[in-house]
Structures are given as C-alpha cells and as structure tokens.
Amino acid sequence: MRRLRLRARWLVPVSGEPIRDGAVLVGEDGRIADVGPDSIVPLPQGAESEDLGEAALLPGLVNTHTHLELTALRGLVTDTVFPRWIGRIRKIKDAMISDHFRAGARWGVLEHFAHGITSIGDTGSTGAAAFAMADLGARGVAYQEVFGPDPAQLDDSLRGLREALHALDLAAASDRVRVGVSPHAPYTVSRQLAGAVASLARIQKRPLAMHMAESQDEWLFIAEGRGAFAEHLRGRGISVDRHRVSPLIWALRAGLDTAEPLLIHCVHVDRGDCEAIAGCGGAVAHCPWSNQLLGVGRANLAQLADARVTVAVGTDSVVAGNSLDLFEESRLASLGSSLTPRERLGMFTSAGAAALGAQDCGRIAVGAWADLCALSLDAPVFARTRNIEGAITAASKARDVTHTWVGGRNVYRRGTWPGVDAAAERGAAERAEAAMRVLAA
C-alpha cells in the first residue's frame, strides 16, 4: 500500500497528551511511521495526503465483547427476565441457517467500521464472525464457543471444538484475526469441560473468554444449586451440585486461572473475586448497556479498579443492547467513578486491546498498527475547547465517526465502505432479519 499522511485539528493518542493540529504518517507496511505536530511530520514524495479538517484522530476503537453472528436478531427478543431471554435466543438460533449467520456477521463488521471500531472480541459458535472479520479486514479475536453442562458430554464437546478450531485455523486465522476458545458460561459447561478447554487454550496458546457472574440466577446456580438454571438442567436429567463458592472462584478452580481469561460481564463479583481476577492475569469485558436493559445489575468498576483489574467495555450482541456505541458504553460504565477522561477513552482503546491480548493497537504511536478513526468536531461543544479528551468523553457518539482505517487501509468513509458492495451486504442482512422476524413470531 502507499504511504499515507493524515492531518487533523486534534490528534488524541490516548497513550499520551493530545496534539493540537497533529499529523500521522503511515508506512507501506500499515504501521505508524511518524506522529506529532503537523509542522514536523514529513510528507514523503509519492505519499497520499488527507487533511481531515475539524476532526479528532483517535486510535481505532476496540469492542471487547459482542456476538456478530446474532446481528440479524436485533430487537427481536424483548423478554428481559435473563434465563428466559437466553432460552429464547437459543431456540431461535437453533432454527437459523448458515446464510443468516453469515449475512448478519458481515453486516455487523461493517457496522463496527462505521462506528470507528477496528478490533472486535467476538464470541460465537458458528464461525461466521471469524470468516466475516477475515474477509472484510477487521482485527480481533474470534472466540469459538463450546457447550456441555453434563459431564457425560465432555468427549463430544471437545471433539466438536477441536474440529471447529481446525477449520477456522485453516480458513480464517491470521496475524490480524486470532481464533480463541470460549467455554460459554458456568450454567452451560461442566467443571470438567471448563478445565479441559482451559488446558487446551494453554497448550495451543489460544486466548480464552467466558461469560462470568452475569446474573443473580448464575450465582444461585453455582453457589447454592438452585434457581432457574438449576431447574432447567434437572429437567434435562442433569445433576446439579451446590458448590458454595462464587461462579468466578468455581471457574478459576476448574482451571481458568491458568489461561489469563477474558471474563465477560462480572456484575456479581465481590472484592475477593476481583483480587482473584487480578491474581491470575485476567481481564474484564464490561457491557453496561446490555446489563442495564436485561436488569442483571451493574459491575462495580471502582472495586475492579482497586484490585488493578484491566477493565474494557463491550457492547454485547445487538440482541441485548441494540447499539454498537462505545462512547455511550464508556459513559455508562464510568458513572460514579473517578476515572479521568483519558482512562475513559482507554476503556475502548488501549485497555480494550490489552484485554484481547492484541499487540500494537489501541494507541497512536510509532510502530503501532495504523488502526485509526476520525471524529467530527463540528458540534458546538468542541468550539475552542482546550480539553479535547474531556469533550470527547462527554459528548461524542458513534454517529460522529467519519473515517476508519485498519492497518492504514480505509475501511469506512462518510457512509461508504471502500471496495465493498454495501447495497448487496445490506440486502443480505435485511433478508436475514426478515427471516428472523418470522422465526421470532
């Protein structure tokens, strides 16, 4: 690719102080070659140059947790009683075909680009997200889900997981898209399966993610062996034990403490849980809007911060939150906290990259990947501001994104996706959504 020089009214590296009238030079390898004030960043002969004008140039945003394969289900499951909500999604998902997953995942990636998101932490069971990310140019981790609450399912579950990983490694994995593993949740995997997946992750050096401590029903299930999840499994003839510990401690003792896990949600954790997360090198994907809509509670950000746990924000699936706006997620996550504007920005840039184990992104610095997004500063709140980080965290929204680049390649530009037949992608997504409306009815 050609070298590219970008200039903007504000450069917001997140890893350092903002630069007024800043510029970035992207090398032919897709990495940042120079960064600084516009007056000193060179324009090499033959390089492409673009002045973004009244805009802020940020690192590409990081969505630490979502479910791209469920994009076609947006807004269709309205029951907010969590166990019933989960069951309803599973029932519809079981009736979906590969074309539905594929169309939804591809449109989900394009929607991420339009919202400034360049790196995605996706959890799914069909592989559609990994293929969409690989084909359309996103960066991130595709965590392959595995299920099996009955210990008798262990061998079959592991066999299916290994087969899925092999297929994804051959067709979708790259330096840009890594394939990880995800024992889904404490109420959908046995202790034996959770431990075996953690062992596989450690041996194969794969990232691991798990839904964790999301609801009170989950806590009742693990700690006391009762509640909606326990009743459901007993109805299937699966025995349920009373473990007398939190879901987090149950999972770590099963073997996740060796896998530096990404723990999704962590709404119902106490101080001891937080210290245990920090102790095993884990990180948390905080999805406040989804948690709010489903009525499962709020993660205690201050408690997690006190334990020095890396906390990043995610949107969860659009089935839950109906939005991919990380600016809004960060605002909701940090209510009542003492986080600085830079720390709030970090929740969906640098901390997000760290939570996914993504190297050389989530920041604007020489040598980092040129994963970038530009925000319009036309709104009155930005006029003559001297605290651009504070203004962005207070007022910016995903709809303010004008451009997005991954590795220096422009993947979104003012309502268009260069090199993509957006009409065809939108049409396929709309047909999948129409089919889902029939299933949901």
Side-chain angles (χ1 to χ4, degrees):
M1 59 174 280
R2 292 175 61 188
R3 285 176 288 184
L4 171 67
R5 186 184 189 277
L6 300 171
R7 178 264 170 201
R9 171 64 68 187
W10 282 101
L11 189 65
V12 185
V14 178
S15 56
E17 290 296 319
I19 302 171
R20 188 178 179 89
D21 295 319
V24 169
L25 178 63
V26 181
E28 295 176 351
D29 59 356
R31 292 180 180 269
I32 296 173
D34 202 353
V35 57
D38 180 51
S39 59
I40 66 172
V41 173
L43 174 59
Q45 185 175 2
E48 181 182 351
S49 179
E50 183 166 2
D51 189 337
L52 299 167
E54 291 297 320
L57 195 60
L58 275 70
L61 311 186
V62 181
N63 186 357
T64 322
H65 176 62
T66 192
H67 297 267
L68 289 168
E69 67 187 16
L70 301 181
T71 300
L73 275 66
R74 186 196 301 265
L76 293 182
V77 183
T78 56
D79 193 330
T80 57
V81 177
F82 186 69
R84 293 205 302 262
W85 182 83
I86 286 284
R88 182 67 174 144
I89 290 175
R90 188 59 188 264
K91 185 175 181 179
I92 297 173
K93 185 178 177 183
D94 286 345
M96 294 172 69
I97 62 175
S98 59
D99 285 352
H100 300 151
F101 295 120
R102 177 182 179 276
R106 290 180 67 85
W107 188 252
V109 170
L110 296 178
E111 192 173 344
H112 273 70
F113 289 161
H115 288 59
I117 300 166
T118 56
S119 291
I120 304 169
D122 183 87
T123 304
S125 60
T126 68
F131 288 112
M133 291 162 63
D135 188 47
L136 294 170
R139 195 181 305 281
V141 182
Y143 296 98
Q144 179 67 26
E145 285 181 320
V146 60
F147 301 84
D150 189 341
Q153 297 172 290
L154 176 63
D155 290 343
D156 287 343
S157 295
L158 284 176
R159 186 180 305 111
L161 175 62
R162 290 194 180 99
E163 290 172 356
L165 293 174
H166 178 68
L168 293 175
D169 285 343
L170 288 176
S174 67
D175 290 341
R176 183 168 40 78
V177 178
R178 292 177 299 147
V179 177
V181 292
S182 177
H184 173 258
Y187 50 88
T188 56
V189 297
S190 65
R191 185 181 186 278
Q192 294 89 334
L193 181 56
V197 175
S199 178
L200 182 151
R202 184 178 65 255
I203 292 169
Q204 297 188 2
K205 294 181 171 55
R206 295 185 187 273
L208 180 149
M210 186 174 188
H211 295 83
M212 181 58 57
E214 185 175 4
S215 68
Q216 185 65 21
D217 288 282
E218 181 185 322
W219 192 93
L220 288 172
F221 171 71
I222 291 294
E224 301 183 11
R226 62 186 180 92
F229 292 130
E231 292 171 6
H232 173 72
L233 291 184
R234 288 191 178 108
R236 293 172 54 189
I238 301 173
S239 64
V240 175
D241 296 325
R242 183 181 181 187
H243 297 283
R244 295 183 173 84
V245 295
S246 70
L248 186 281
I249 297 302
W250 173 89
L252 295 186
R253 289 179 180 176
L256 263 70
D257 60 337
T258 66
E260 298 184 350
L262 173 64
L263 301 164
I264 303 160
H265 298 300
C266 288
V267 173
H268 297 275
V269 293
D270 60 20
R271 188 170 299 278
D273 288 334
C274 294
E275 292 172 353
I277 296 170
C280 74
V284 169
H286 183 14
C287 305
W289 184 231
S290 166
N291 296 156
Q292 177 77 17
L293 291 177
L294 293 174
V296 297
R298 285 179 54 84
N300 189 329
L301 191 61
Q303 185 171 256
L304 289 162
D306 286 346
R308 300 186 182 279
V309 174
T310 296
V311 180
V313 291
T315 62
D316 210 340
S317 73
V318 293
V319 190
N322 207 16
S323 170
L324 296 175
D325 192 329
L326 290 174
F327 298 95
E328 293 283 17
E329 294 283 358
S330 177
R331 277 192 282 274
L332 184 57
S334 57
L335 285 176
S337 76
S338 58
L339 294 182
T340 66
R342 189 172 302 170
E343 289 170 333
R344 295 182 185 187
L345 289 173
M347 293 178 75
F348 54 93
T349 54
S350 55
L356 294 180
Q359 297 182 351
D360 298 336
C361 59
R363 58 196 174 92
I364 299 179
V366 173
W369 287 111
D371 294 357
L372 306 163
C373 71
L375 284 175
S376 170
L377 299 181
D378 289 338
V381 68
F382 298 110
R384 301 182 64 82
T385 183
R386 295 185 179 182
N387 182 0
I388 189 61
E389 292 173 324
I392 289 172
T393 54
S396 288
K397 297 180 182 294
R399 64 171 177 256
D400 298 326
V401 172
T402 61
H403 300 69
T404 306
W405 298 264
V406 179
R409 184 174 74 89
N410 188 205
V411 295
Y412 176 76
R413 174 182 294 267
R414 297 189 182 279
T416 67
W417 293 267
V420 173
D421 186 343
E425 299 288 354
R426 183 188 293 273
E430 289 175 347
R431 288 191 292 275
E433 290 176 3
M436 293 307 97
R437 284 195 294 273
V438 174
L439 289 176

